[in-house]
Amino acid sequence: MTKSKIKTTNSLRFKIGLFYTLLALLNIIFFTVMIFENQSDLLLKNFQFQSENLANTILADLQNIGITEEKDEVFEVFRKTLKLYDIEKFLIFQGDGKVWLEEPEKKEPTLQVSEALLRKSKDVSADKEGSLFKSRYNLDLNEKDFTVDFLLPIHSKTGEEIFLFTHFNIASIQERLKQLYIQVAYAVVWGVVFHLIFAILVYRAIFRRVDLLDAASKKMATGELKTRIDWNFKNEDELDNLGRSFNGMAEEIETKVNTITKLNDEIGQELQIGKEVQELFLPSNKKYKQFKIGKVYRPMREVSGDIYQYFHFEEKGKNDTYCFFLADASGHGVSAALVTVVMAMSLQSIVKENHSPIHAINSLGEVIANRLQASFFATGVFVVFKEPGKVKFVNAGHNAPFIIRPSTKEVRYIDSSGPPLGMGDDIKYSLDEFPVEPGDKIILYTDGVVETPVKEGGLFGLERFVEIVLNNIDESNSDIVDKAMEELELAHEEYKDDVTMIIIEVPE
């Protein structure tokens, strides 16, 4: 069954209409049958009475008319007498069944009556024994068409018993039957018209306004908040009250939605300003061209809970120090963005006073713990380049970065070396050192990459991310992160966190 059919059969209009149609049909049939039955009974009784009355009248009129086998003047009187009662067809026969006279005459005259008619003539014969209790005539009433088979014993001119048989109908009954059919037809037509008028009035009184309510509700659902019910509220019934309630509700919804929209616009503008402020703390890749940095930074909302920072320290007589920092604050949206701003400002302030990477990360953990009082925390990873052929890491509860050597496609993961930043002000972190070669790629990322739900079920996953990087290892770092982001866009079901990917290539 299609949706349209299901909707039609579940419609209240359809159910009430079907019920009302069946009820109206049963009502019309019931009253039609009642009228027909009552009138038919009266008509039948009238038919029986008039038949008996007519039979007795004919019996009295013909009792003294003696006819012969000839169509003489007496026969004419006999014929005219019957014609007075609209009887023009008759048959006169003897007790042995021989036909005397037949009117009208036929080309092939009837010579002998049937055995059934002959038996009936014997039942009404005056010569039958027990004549005191026998019927003076025989009437067979056909109630289907209100016709009569009339058998009457009479006497001929010579005194011989003969029989008159005729088949006739009673004109008044036939006319009354026609009138009955006409009355029944009128009753049916009136019943149909009455129920149709009533149905139209019910529809106009109920369903027309229900349709207007339904249409207005659908318009409201599509966002046309100025929609109102517009009919003449003169009935003062439940539907009028419902219409007024709908208009009041619609007005209240419009007011509140307009207020919310205005607030959302203001919040959106503020978030846009917050996004621009947050982006001021994000470094540019221009000063770090030798690292061929590839980066994707995609906030889930206007502002992000992810933050990254680059630092370059020059020391006389020593190798320059390059530091790369990526962190992911707990939570999402504005609260997480504020934490990242605190982290960025604090870290920049710390490294200005002391260039030591390990001092910077430990001090940052203390600042977060003391200022935010463990209400918020952040995972982070600190990557330090100072000596050729070596890279140092601090992983504070962050997703494990990994190093890929393109020549061998060897992958090394840097596990966590301590709890997230801000979990306590007495936590001390240490640098872990790893050997690297020029061209090795260091991949940093936040959990928004690997923990994004995908359409086929489950999460995007670290294995898939590593596989994408390996499959495109010969591409530029920017192309690698772009392709990884394309795969994530195609596969994801919904984003539940900010997404950041950074690829740093070990320079010559």
Side-chain angles (χ1 to χ4, degrees):
M1 184 179 287
T2 62
K3 289 185 177 180
S4 61
K5 289 183 178 179
I6 293 174
K7 288 182 179 179
T8 300
T9 54
N10 288 337
S11 167
L12 183 62
R13 183 187 291 103
F14 175 80
K15 291 178 180 178
I16 292 178
L18 180 61
F19 176 76
Y20 180 75
T21 301
L22 292 175
L23 188 63
L25 183 62
L26 291 175
N27 192 26
I28 292 171
I29 292 174
F30 173 77
F31 283 104
T32 301
V33 171
M34 288 288 293
I35 293 172
F36 194 81
E37 285 290 331
N38 290 334
Q39 292 297 319
S40 295
D41 289 343
L42 290 175
L43 197 62
L44 183 58
K45 290 179 180 179
N46 192 19
F47 171 60
Q48 293 171 347
F49 173 76
Q50 289 197 37
S51 297
E52 290 286 347
N53 188 47
L54 182 61
N56 288 319
T57 303
I58 294 173
L59 176 63
D61 289 347
L62 300 181
Q63 192 67 34
N64 298 320
I65 300 177
I67 63 173
T68 63
E69 293 186 56
E70 303 296 330
K71 288 187 177 183
D72 50 16
E73 292 180 0
V74 176
F75 175 79
E76 283 299 318
V77 173
F78 184 89
R79 187 177 65 80
K80 289 179 180 180
T81 301
L82 290 179
K83 193 172 183 181
L84 291 174
Y85 305 105
D86 295 324
I87 299 175
E88 297 183 352
K89 296 181 180 181
F90 57 86
L91 192 70
I92 297 174
F93 61 94
Q94 297 177 171
D96 60 359
K98 179 183 177 183
V99 176
W100 270 24
L101 297 168
E102 184 177 9
E103 185 69 23
E105 293 183 356
K106 298 180 181 179
K107 292 181 179 180
E108 295 182 4
T110 305
L111 301 178
Q112 188 77 20
V113 298
S114 65
E115 289 294 328
L117 185 57
L118 191 58
R119 284 194 298 272
K120 289 181 181 180
S121 66
K122 291 179 179 180
D123 291 336
V124 296
S125 174
D127 297 334
K128 183 178 178 181
E129 294 182 0
S131 60
L132 181 62
F133 301 102
K134 67 178 177 51
S135 175
R136 293 182 298 166
Y137 52 80
N138 179 270
L139 281 177
D140 286 335
L141 304 180
N142 188 348
E143 297 176 358
K144 292 183 179 179
D145 58 1
F146 295 100
T147 58
V148 180
D149 288 339
F150 182 41
L151 180 63
L152 175 67
I154 58 178
H155 292 89
S156 67
K157 188 175 182 179
T158 60
E160 179 185 0
E161 184 181 54
I162 55 177
F163 299 91
L164 167 67
F165 174 76
T166 182
H167 176 83
F168 63 91
N169 57 51
I170 300 176
S172 61
I173 299 298
Q174 293 288 342
E175 185 63 27
R176 186 68 187 91
L177 182 61
K178 291 180 182 179
Q179 292 296 324
L180 176 60
Y181 287 139
I182 293 173
Q183 289 176 3
V184 169
Y186 282 153
V188 171
V189 171
W190 165 243
V192 172
V193 171
F194 172 80
H195 286 92
L196 184 60
I197 292 173
F198 184 78
I200 292 173
L201 291 176
V202 169
Y203 178 82
R204 290 179 61 84
I206 299 177
F207 289 110
R208 185 178 65 86
R209 290 183 288 174
V210 170
D211 287 342
L212 291 175
L213 277 168
D214 180 57
S217 300
K218 289 178 179 177
K219 285 185 178 180
M220 285 287 293
T222 59
E224 297 184 30
L225 301 182
K226 294 189 178 296
T227 302
R228 298 292 185 272
I229 296 298
D230 185 19
W231 69 58
N232 187 359
F233 294 91
K234 63 180 181 181
N235 295 322
E236 298 298 332
D237 56 12
E238 290 83 352
L239 284 176
D240 276 1
N241 294 335
L242 182 60
R244 291 192 184 95
S245 299
F246 177 89
N247 286 343
M249 178 193 68
E251 186 172 351
E252 186 69 17
I253 290 174
E254 182 184 10
T255 301
K256 291 188 179 299
V257 169
N258 288 338
T259 302
I260 292 171
T261 302
K262 183 179 178 182
L263 291 174
N264 281 339
D265 291 341
E266 293 175 358
I267 293 172
Q269 292 175 2
E270 293 174 1
L271 287 175
Q272 184 62 32
I273 295 172
K275 178 181 179 181
E276 294 172 0
V277 171
Q278 189 178 35
E279 289 176 350
L280 293 176
F281 290 91
L282 301 178
S284 171
N285 295 343
K286 292 181 180 179
K287 296 181 180 180
Y288 304 87
K289 292 182 179 180
Q290 69 271 36
F291 292 94
K292 301 177 181 177
I293 297 173
K295 170 182 63 68
V296 166
Y297 178 74
R298 184 194 180 282
M300 187 178 71
R301 299 170 186 156
E302 284 82 357
V303 291
S304 175
D306 293 350
I307 187 73
Y308 61 91
Q309 296 282 284
Y310 309 151
F311 301 99
H312 175 212
F313 307 123
E314 295 180 356
E315 299 182 46
K316 292 182 180 180
K318 296 182 180 180
N319 293 326
D320 291 353
T321 301
Y322 292 91
C323 300
F324 299 88
F325 175 70
L326 174 64
D328 182 5
S330 61
H332 309 291
V334 176
S335 60
L338 290 174
V339 174
T340 62
V341 171
V342 170
M343 291 172 61
M345 294 177 66
S346 300
L347 187 58
Q348 290 177 8
S349 176
I350 291 168
V351 297
K352 283 182 180 179
E353 297 178 0
N354 191 325
H355 298 340
S356 169
I358 194 62
H359 171 76
I361 198 71
N362 284 327
S363 298
L364 181 61
E366 292 176 9
V367 168
I368 295 175
N370 291 328
R371 289 189 181 180
L372 303 180
Q373 299 179 351
S375 298
F376 297 94
F377 61 90
T379 64
V381 60
F382 215 84
V383 183
V384 181
F385 290 92
K386 184 173 179 64
E387 301 175 29
K390 295 180 181 179
V391 64
K392 296 180 180 180
F393 286 89
V394 175
N395 186 349
H398 196 75
N399 298 87
F402 53 95
I403 305 171
I404 294 181
R405 182 157 293 167
S407 59
T408 61
K409 294 191 176 181
E410 176 188 357
V411 181
R412 284 179 293 170
Y413 297 93
I414 313 301
D415 294 327
S416 175
S417 55
L421 300 168
M423 298 298 290
D425 58 2
D426 57 349
I427 298 173
K428 300 300 179 183
Y429 297 93
S430 60
L431 287 169
D432 295 327
E433 185 177 287
F434 294 88
V436 290
E437 294 179 358
D440 287 356
K441 299 180 186 294
I442 299 170
I443 294 89
L444 312 178
Y445 58 96
T446 58
D447 54 7
V449 177
V450 296
E451 295 181 8
T452 294
V454 292
K455 297 173 184 175
E456 63 266 23
L459 304 176
F460 190 74
L462 179 58
E463 291 183 4
R464 186 185 299 195
F465 180 45
V466 173
E467 183 180 358
I468 293 171
V469 175
L470 286 173
N471 290 339
N472 298 280
I473 198 67
D474 296 328
E475 304 288 337
S476 68
N477 295 332
S478 295
D479 289 342
I480 293 174
V481 292
D482 287 343
K483 288 183 178 180
M485 192 65 210
E486 287 177 10
E487 291 288 336
L488 184 60
E489 282 285 345
L490 291 173
H492 88 285
E493 183 176 16
E494 62 174 324
Y495 287 110
K496 293 190 175 181
D497 205 346
D498 308 304
V499 174
T500 303
M501 309 177 210
I502 299 175
I503 297 181
I504 305 166
E505 188 168 318
V506 178
E508 296 288 340

